[in-house]
Amino acid sequence: MGEKGLQTPARKVFLWVRKQSKKVKTVLGVVTCLTLLITLRLLIHDHNHFFVLAELVHFIGILCLIYKLSTLKTCSGLSLKSQVLTAIFLAVRVFCSFIMEGDIHTILDFVTLAATLWVIYMMKFKLKSSFMADLDSMHYWYLIVPCAVAAFLIHPSTAHNFFFRVLWAFCVYMESISVLPQLRLMQNVQIIEPFTAHYVFALGVARFLGCAHWINQVYDTSGAYLYLAGRGYFWIPMVFLAEIVQTFILADFCYYYIKSVVSGQLLVRLPQPV
């Protein structure tokens, strides 16, 4: 039979895509995203469910890390800084959500925060010897300070206290870039083991669902939703921009993840940085 005879339809399609030019790949990517958005729109009628699904997918990703740390007893390939930044924005969001909303999102975020803190504890104390500290090189303040400044300048204009509105904006901006240290570390390593790859892919899916929520909101209001609230009418556009930025940040990795899955490979191999 040989390798060609064992190729699945999905693998044949992927091999065909690999042979296409960058322009064709870009068009195919856009078409795929639009198809997924339309499908989600037809299946999910309450836009709030997009965020619930995103939070559930994020938690599933954390469960992959918990399984890795508890069974394989190693944290190699994981960025402690990304986990700390994730814990920061989740803690801020749980605090603000408890004060401002207090709904199912608060519960989901609290559970995810608890799981993230456990991951941080394991990485920092129990499995410290396997932590790649030299490769986890991105500085916290390069990410935290810009988010804090942006939150102070652009935040929602609601009836809540100014402090809570700035905090809420801060956690939105922080979430959009919290994965950068993890991506930086993976670029340094270039070969990603399965459970770390599952986790980062789950983040990509979660962000796509969050982005789908905002796209549907904007579409349903013919663009008017962009200017419903916010200091200088910039808040909703900034949230929308943050979601899109995070989705595109993770899109490249998701491509290589799907490529590895379709090829039947356990490890995800990233290309050499240019």
Side-chain angles (χ1 to χ4, degrees):
M1 293 289 290
E3 185 180 353
K4 291 185 178 179
L6 296 176
Q7 287 181 358
T8 63
R11 179 168 171 76
K12 290 179 180 178
V13 170
F14 192 84
L15 290 174
W16 176 81
V17 171
R18 284 183 61 186
K19 296 176 182 177
Q20 307 307 308
S21 64
K22 288 186 178 181
K23 288 185 178 180
V24 173
K25 288 179 181 177
T26 302
V27 171
L28 290 173
V30 171
V31 171
T32 302
C33 289
L34 290 175
T35 303
L36 289 173
L37 284 173
I38 294 171
T39 302
L40 288 172
R41 180 175 174 80
L42 293 174
L43 294 176
I44 303 175
H45 301 290
D46 186 346
H47 294 162
N48 190 53
H49 291 164
F50 283 105
F51 277 140
V52 174
L53 284 174
E55 289 159 351
L56 283 173
V57 171
H58 185 178
F59 180 66
I60 291 172
I62 293 290
L63 289 180
C64 290
L65 294 188
I66 291 176
Y67 181 82
K68 170 184 176 175
L69 299 181
S70 59
T71 58
L72 302 182
K73 304 299 182 182
T74 177
C75 62
S76 62
L78 287 180
S79 167
L80 178 61
K81 291 181 178 178
S82 268
Q83 295 304 312
V84 171
L85 293 174
T86 298
I88 289 173
F89 85 72
L90 282 172
V92 172
R93 193 159 72 189
V94 167
F95 174 69
C96 292
S97 182
F98 181 78
I99 299 296
M100 301 168 70
E101 296 176 342
D103 51 17
I104 183 63
H105 302 290
T106 310
I107 298 173
L108 291 172
D109 282 338
F110 179 80
V111 173
T112 306
L113 172 61
T116 302
L117 290 175
W118 184 87
V119 170
I120 292 173
Y121 169 77
M122 292 295 289
M123 293 181 67
K124 199 165 182 62
F125 300 103
K126 297 294 185 180
L127 304 174
K128 187 176 181 180
S129 60
S130 60
F131 171 52
M132 300 176 172
D134 55 327
L135 298 180
D136 196 10
S137 56
M138 187 170 286
H139 296 289
Y140 286 114
W141 299 113
Y142 291 168
L143 302 175
I144 294 176
V145 172
C147 289
V149 173
F152 181 81
L153 297 175
I154 303 175
H155 48 265
S157 293
T158 63
H160 300 94
N161 183 277
F162 173 82
F163 176 71
F164 294 121
R165 287 184 280 139
V166 171
L167 278 182
W168 186 266
F170 173 76
C171 73
V172 169
Y173 301 145
M174 178 63 67
E175 182 180 16
S176 68
I177 49 85
S178 61
V179 75
L180 287 179
Q182 178 65 55
L183 294 179
R184 175 76 171 272
L185 188 149
M186 291 192 305
Q187 286 177 346
N188 292 332
V189 175
Q190 295 187 348
I191 298 178
I192 317 303
E193 55 79 34
F195 293 107
T196 301
H198 297 336
Y199 165 69
V200 179
F201 181 72
L203 293 182
V205 173
R207 294 289 33 92
F208 178 78
L209 290 169
C211 194
H213 163 83
W214 294 105
I215 291 174
N216 278 288
Q217 289 279 40
V218 172
Y219 177 81
D220 286 346
T221 60
S222 300
Y225 188 78
L226 288 172
Y227 306 102
L228 288 180
R231 186 175 182 179
Y233 300 105
F234 289 128
W235 165 241
I236 298 297
M238 278 294 288
V239 174
F240 188 57
L241 178 63
E243 290 286 353
I244 291 177
V245 166
Q246 190 173 13
T247 301
F248 275 96
I249 285 174
L250 288 162
D252 186 60
F253 172 81
C254 290
Y255 167 78
Y256 289 104
Y257 176 88
I258 295 173
K259 173 183 174 181
S260 298
V261 170
V262 172
S263 302
Q265 299 175 359
L266 292 178
L267 300 176
V268 178
R269 288 177 168 80
L270 301 180
Q272 289 273 359
V274 179

